[in-house]
Amino acid sequence: MDSPGPHGGKLEIVDRFSLLCRASWITGRISPCAKFHDRVVSKYHGPMEFLYNVFVALHFIGWAIVLGGYLASLRSPGLYKGVFHGALTALVAGIAMVGIGEASVWGDGGPDMAKIGVKLVIALVVAVLAFVAKRQGAKSSDGAVAPGLKHAIGGLTLVNILVAVFWN
């Protein structure tokens, strides 16, 4: 502390805090540095966590639209056009969630990237199938969609939800 660094002695204080942080994992106790770090980091992660949570909500809403549109159209020959928009919303929100989470929110590495990859592939397939169903319904006079196409959208949506819930 006698010889101030380029930041007027603050560098040494920061170094002492980082030394305490490095030593805290050995002792198993929470160091003053960790408490200080949590206060400082929470200021900067607040807006990003909020944005992340907005995309989580949009992701859930998108999949709810897809599943709800599928279930509502089970007794009709067509498929609601909102299913395509819900699939795109869920896909874009999911990609944004992973980007924001990797950049700032997930401190411990986040979820397994294999899980994210599986969910991405399923979401892409659902979005493409919903687009095909939308085009097929527009060409038909009564808006009919092939039953296999409609059930593939519903089944893959359920698979994507189950992957999200049960893959840890």
Side-chain angles (χ1 to χ4, degrees), residues 85-111:
H85 299 290
L88 279 183
T89 300
L91 178 65
V92 171
I95 292 170
M97 283 169 42
V98 171
I100 292 170
E102 279 291 316
S104 66
V105 177
W106 298 332
D108 61 349

Side-chain angles (χ1 to χ4, degrees), residues 79-129:
L79 186 67
Y80 289 106
K81 293 178 184 173
V83 170
F84 172 64
H85 299 290
L88 279 183
T89 300
L91 178 65
V92 171
I95 292 170
M97 283 169 42
V98 171
I100 292 170
E102 279 291 316
S104 66
V105 177
W106 298 332
D108 61 349
D112 185 12
M113 285 298 140
K115 172 185 175 179
I116 299 298
V118 167
K119 285 182 58 60
L120 175 64
V121 168
I122 293 173
L124 282 169
V125 170
V126 169
V128 168
L129 291 177

